[in-house]
Amino acid sequence: MAGIVAGRLALVTGAGSGIGRATCQVLSREGATVIAADRNFEAAVETIKTHTALASGSNATGDHSAIEVDVADSKSVMSALQKTLEQYRSPPTIVVNCAGVTRDNWLLKLSEEDYNSVLDVNLKGTFLVMQAFAQAMTEKGKPGSIVNISSIVGKYGNMGQTNYAASKAGVVAMTQSAAKELGKFNIRVNVVLPGFTETPIVQTVPDKVKQGMLKMVPLGRMGQPSEIAEVITFLSSDKSSFVTGASIDVTGGF
């Protein structure tokens, strides 16, 4: 049985770990050809070799590929687009912006450098990737789906994360604006707001803080990256053909 994104080409940033890696797995399981993009090229290769190939039911990497990209650098993003067009002769029609970083500190202690680095990757990076790849889709007249990753912190804030919360709130507003602009090209743009999810970023949180946060989750547990990836894949598919400009919380009720 063909998957819900069979025959599609998908680019996933932040594909070297966490939600990005899980998204590559689920998209490939559902029939997409996946380009795993990450600043850590080795981690992206690992995603394709050991996770994506297996999810597609084979030991071969098939047409899947890995690519190095620094989403905060417009030259790097354009280079990734050019390499994709050279290899596949067509732009991806699924783009998932999972690349993200944290540099947590109290507002009164947060350095300008740490503020900038988080906004550059999480907000500007999402913008640069969305702009470059949507432009390529419109030039080829391809309908598509862009899924951006925000965070529930972007809605409610969080202590020690003024920079991260601001970047993730910006992703929501940017998604809603882009959806209005790109609708006429039949390109849908949606945003997922994960809650407390078992990722490398969360592993840096002290256990005491984790326990406190878990008390605020009605389902009583952390989310798995695959649970976020399933929602991303739904938004990437024609199953969500009338959904655009939507913000979807995947939080266990947090």
Side-chain angles (χ1 to χ4, degrees):
M1 195 171 83
I4 60 172
V5 288
R8 311 269 171 95
L9 181 62
L11 174 90
V12 181
T13 71
S17 64
I19 292 168
R21 175 169 278 179
T23 299
C24 291
Q25 287 178 282
V26 177
L27 284 169
S28 68
R29 185 197 75 204
E30 291 297 328
T33 297
V34 174
I35 305 159
D38 202 284
R39 195 163 55 179
N40 181 338
F41 180 65
E42 286 74 27
V45 169
E46 177 69 12
T47 292
I48 292 301
K49 276 189 173 167
T50 64
H51 298 271
T52 307
L54 294 174
S56 13
S58 76
N59 294 318
T61 54
D63 290 331
H64 305 307
S65 63
I67 198 164
E68 186 175 345
V69 67
D70 177 357
V71 296
D73 178 355
S74 57
K75 287 195 179 83
S76 179
V77 171
M78 290 310 294
S79 168
L81 174 60
Q82 287 315 122
K83 284 176 187 164
T84 300
L85 293 174
E86 282 163 21
Q87 183 169 349
Y88 295 99
R89 305 277 176 250
S90 181
T93 56
I94 297 169
V95 175
V96 185
N97 279 299
C98 285
V101 296
T102 55
R103 298 283 183 275
D104 295 351
N105 213 331
W106 305 114
L107 170 68
L108 301 182
K109 293 182 177 177
L110 186 66
S111 69
E112 186 175 352
E113 187 185 1
D114 282 350
Y115 175 86
N116 286 339
S117 64
V118 168
L119 271 286
D120 277 352
V121 173
N122 297 0
L123 187 57
K124 188 177 87 170
T126 298
F127 165 76
L128 290 174
V129 171
M130 188 159 58
Q131 184 183 55
F133 284 83
Q135 180 73 45
M137 279 185 227
T138 60
E139 284 171 4
K140 294 276 187 182
K142 296 260 186 188
S145 172
I146 298 170
V147 184
N148 296 324
I149 307 303
S150 174
S151 165
I152 201 65
V153 168
K155 204 187 253 193
Y156 300 117
N158 195 27
M159 289 171 72
Q161 291 195 310
T162 47
N163 51 356
Y164 184 75
S167 72
K168 292 302 193 177
V171 168
V172 173
M174 192 162 65
T175 297
Q176 291 166 338
S177 301
K180 287 176 166 61
E181 291 185 25
L182 297 174
K184 66 185 176 195
F185 301 108
N186 202 15
I187 297 170
R188 298 181 298 108
V189 193
N190 294 290
V191 60
V192 173
L193 287 71
F196 203 33
T197 310
E198 193 94 56
T199 65
I201 283 179
V202 165
Q203 278 157 19
T204 63
V205 177
D207 278 344
K208 195 174 168 186
V209 177
K210 275 189 201 171
Q211 292 311 314
M213 290 182 81
L214 280 174
K215 284 179 185 150
M216 296 189 278
V217 181
L219 291 186
R221 63 175 177 85
M222 278 199 267
Q224 294 302 312
S226 60
E227 294 178 296
I228 315 296
E230 295 287 358
V231 177
I232 292 167
T233 302
F234 164 73
L235 291 171
S236 303
S237 77
D238 290 341
K239 300 276 183 194
S240 59
S241 53
F242 201 53
V243 181
T244 194
S247 309
I248 300 180
D249 298 359
V250 188
T251 66
F254 178 85

